[in-house]
Amino acid sequence: MLFQAGSLLLVIISVYLLKRIHIFSDKSYKVVQGLVFNLTLPCAIVMSFATNKHPMNLLWLVVFGLFACMIPLFIVYFGSRGDEPKYRAYQMLNASGLNIGAFCLPVVQTFMGPSAGLPVIMLDIGNAIIATAASLTITRSLLHLGSPTKNLPMSLRIKNIARDFYSSISFDCYMLMLVFMFAGWTVPQWIVTLITPFANANAFAAMAMIGLMMEIPDNHKDRSELGKVIAWRFLFSIIIALSAWFLLPLDERVREIVVLAAFAPVTIFSTKFTDSLTGNAKLAGFSLTVTAIIGLTFMTILHAVLPVT
């Protein structure tokens, strides 16, 4: 297990070192980010649905993921009063939401096998409803931050928000697989064969993306705000993990998967939204890297100690 976790961490560190010696540029992460969100992650989503049974009681995970992402957003809003608006926005966006598809999915599948992918994806459907677009809209509205769409009619605002959802290929795959699930359809075998190499590359590509995004901030205030985000996330992770273990009406293996997911790092969308609202891309990227390393450590320990056969 330590070697499994170490291999994922090694990818992050190796790619970061390659960037430091200028094999990759500071913007190279955008290429890998495009591959993950538009190719390897969608294929991993379809692969997990196609190769595993999907009982209807897993829909509990969709509801759980929705509240696990939404409630922390409002708690941080009230808890960060007194800070500057741009740092409140940073805390709200980075202390809430779980990086499930691009981080937790490859980690959990490395630990527990391909069959663990489906519960992760079901959890991420609820999480993604907030993390992929709604968190930006809520944060901007609550903090009264400027927006180029603030003078648009409500119908156009709704269209803009809807476009944030359907323009995400990964989110579209989630919705499509839900339709397949309710309809009782199966993914054709020839499609599974075609996407297998891409799905298998998701773990490496996701960890490489994190390594490319890593950049240490040189501002004391930034480091202080990062500490606040880590504290918030640790608190929420414990609450989410305990709620999943004791409240979800699912078997122990599925509950362990959710407990591991509770320690997933900052989402990719949070880094993007932080950059758009505050202009601090360096802090956003470093937050993802630090919480990814912390999350991987806790996920490894929890997988070792939880009493699941």
Side-chain angles (χ1 to χ4, degrees):
M1 190 192 313
L2 291 176
F3 278 101
Q4 288 174 328
S7 67
L8 297 174
L9 184 59
L10 183 61
V11 175
I12 296 174
I13 296 173
S14 299
V15 173
Y16 171 71
L17 291 176
L18 288 175
K19 187 180 76 166
R20 294 294 296 176
I21 61 174
H22 306 295
I23 300 296
F24 299 114
S25 71
D26 291 341
K27 300 296 182 182
S28 294
Y29 76 89
K30 291 183 179 292
V31 176
V32 184
Q33 192 177 79
L35 288 173
V36 170
F37 281 99
N38 299 297
L39 195 58
T40 65
L41 177 55
C43 288
I45 292 168
V46 175
M47 186 79 167
S48 292
F49 265 84
T51 56
N52 295 286
K53 295 181 180 179
H54 29 75
M56 297 299 288
N57 66 345
L58 289 183
L59 290 173
W60 281 108
L61 297 179
V62 178
V63 178
F64 188 87
L66 175 66
F67 286 104
C69 183
M70 181 172 59
I71 293 175
L73 191 65
F74 291 97
I75 293 176
V76 176
Y77 167 71
F78 290 108
S80 62
R81 284 178 296 182
D83 220 335
E84 297 176 48
K86 67 176 183 178
Y87 284 115
R88 292 186 72 188
Y90 162 71
Q91 289 184 47
M92 289 176 66
L93 291 169
N94 291 271
S96 62
L98 300 170
N99 193 333
I100 297 178
F103 184 88
C104 184
L105 178 61
V107 171
V108 169
Q109 287 186 316
T110 298
F111 286 164
M112 305 176 69
S115 64
L118 186 60
V120 174
I121 289 169
M122 296 299 289
L123 180 69
D124 199 24
I125 292 173
N127 175 74
I129 292 172
I130 304 298
T132 57
S135 61
L136 176 62
T137 302
I138 293 170
T139 300
R140 179 186 287 147
S141 299
L142 290 176
L143 298 179
H144 307 290
L145 295 175
S147 168
T149 63
K150 62 182 179 181
N151 295 320
L152 291 177
M154 181 59 68
S155 60
L156 290 180
R157 293 188 193 185
I158 293 174
K159 286 182 180 179
N160 287 336
I161 294 172
R163 184 167 58 246
D164 288 336
F165 286 106
Y166 65 70
S167 62
S168 169
I169 295 178
S170 298
F171 187 79
D172 294 340
C173 284
Y174 285 141
M175 297 300 104
L176 180 61
M177 291 302 101
L178 270 185
V179 171
F180 271 60
M181 182 176 176
F182 282 114
W185 299 337
T186 58
V187 179
Q189 184 58 43
W190 64 270
I191 292 180
V192 175
T193 302
L194 286 176
I195 67 174
T196 294
F198 302 102
N200 290 343
N202 188 54
F204 175 81
M207 297 305 117
M209 176 179 63
I210 293 172
L212 288 170
M213 293 186 73
M214 183 174 176
E215 193 66 43
I216 301 174
D218 51 11
N219 184 300
H220 174 73
K221 176 64 173 175
D222 285 353
R223 294 194 292 269
S224 174
E225 291 297 315
L226 173 60
K228 293 178 184 178
V229 163
I230 292 173
W232 278 120
R233 292 194 68 87
F234 186 67
L235 172 63
F236 294 139
S237 294
I238 292 175
I239 294 172
I240 293 169
L242 291 175
S243 299
W245 188 257
F246 292 106
L247 298 180
L248 280 176
L250 300 167
D251 63 66
E252 280 190 345
R253 187 170 188 270
V254 173
R255 284 185 282 134
E256 178 190 343
I257 291 170
V258 182
V259 168
L260 298 186
F263 289 86
V266 170
T267 72
I268 297 295
F269 291 97
S270 294
T271 63
K272 175 184 177 182
F273 297 157
T274 300
D275 188 19
S276 67
L277 285 184
T278 71
N280 200 336
K282 181 183 290 188
L283 177 59
F286 190 61
S287 301
L288 170 57
T289 306
V290 171
T291 55
I293 294 172
I294 293 172
L296 181 59
T297 301
F298 276 99
M299 292 167 78
T300 304
I301 294 171
L302 287 168
H303 181 53
V305 301
L306 285 175
V308 179
T309 57

